[in-house]
Amino acid sequence: MGHVEIVANVDHLEGALDPDKVNFVFFQQAVGLQFMKKSLRILRMFPHGDVKYSPAILMARELVETQLRQMVELGFDDVIQFPCTKGMLRHRMHVQLMNPISYFITDNYFGPDRRAFFEGDAGRAPRFGTRAYERRTFIRNPDYGVAVMDVQRFDPNDVEEADQIEI
């Protein structure tokens, strides 16, 4: 088990994050949308260590589809709805560690790929972007932190210089 820090005020979040470790950041549904937005912005823009790659996980009860979509759109790595079994919870936490994960960076977003959720199987099909973006593939390791394995860039305006990647 690791260290648990409970943060009741978003202004104290930065002080609770450890730049030398993989931080799991859990949110309760009851904290409200504004707290979540501000907290995710702090997390994804954190200037030290690998904190910006920390998994942000929402713990919720009975979200309707529009709420679930909103949480995914905000950039949560996972949304766990309760009640759930300990085995399911353990599996969902394990998925966040020791597995390649891709984050996308655009002019207004840094976080996990949201297309698969929004577009189903069509979101998994390779395609080129219409705006510049970067894809970073990394692994979170509880012993060594975050290792970035690959960085790919695509700019439709500079096709000759960009890494031609399909996502």
Side-chain angles (χ1 to χ4, degrees):
M1 188 74 174
H3 174 75
V4 174
E5 183 84 29
I6 297 173
V7 178
N9 184 327
V10 72
D11 296 326
H12 300 153
L13 178 61
E14 264 186 85
L17 298 170
D18 185 343
D20 298 322
K21 294 191 167 76
V22 174
N23 296 266
F24 274 79
V25 182
F26 295 95
F27 294 81
Q28 291 180 327
Q29 181 180 3
V31 299
L33 192 57
Q34 292 308 323
F35 179 91
M36 287 185 242
K37 284 181 179 179
K38 187 172 181 182
S39 298
L40 284 169
R41 192 169 32 256
I42 290 168
L43 182 65
R44 298 299 182 223
M45 300 300 174
F46 199 81
H48 309 293
D50 297 323
V51 171
K52 63 186 166 199
Y53 297 104
S54 296
I57 299 168
L58 176 65
M59 312 294 247
R61 289 189 183 271
E62 301 178 17
L63 291 176
V64 296
E65 185 179 350
T66 54
Q67 291 173 309
L68 183 59
R69 284 178 170 272
Q70 185 178 35
M71 297 304 114
V72 171
E73 204 169 86
L74 281 176
F76 280 101
D77 290 88
D78 200 356
V79 177
I80 298 175
Q81 295 197 65
F82 286 88
C84 73
T85 66
K86 287 181 188 177
M88 184 189 118
L89 188 58
R90 192 177 312 112
H91 169 74
R92 300 282 280 277
M93 296 304 107
H94 181 72
V95 166
Q96 299 297 328
L97 297 172
M98 306 304 294
N99 291 303
I101 296 172
S102 290
Y103 270 20
F104 287 80
I105 304 167
T106 67
D107 56 353
N108 63 357
Y109 181 75
F110 178 85
D113 185 10
R114 303 170 289 190
R115 289 180 311 129
F117 177 82
F118 290 121
E119 300 172 14
D121 289 337
R124 292 180 186 90
R127 67 178 182 187
F128 292 103
T130 57
R131 294 182 301 160
Y133 65 87
E134 181 177 299
R135 177 174 65 185
R136 291 186 189 169
T137 302
F138 61 92
I139 290 182
R140 296 178 183 119
N141 181 315
D143 295 322
Y144 303 106
V146 174
V148 177
M149 301 164 29
D150 189 35
V151 177
Q152 297 175 316
R153 294 176 181 86
F154 177 77
D155 185 346
N157 300 320
D158 190 13
V159 186
E160 291 180 23
E161 293 296 319
D163 299 332
Q164 291 300 303
I165 65 171
E166 294 180 7
I167 58 174

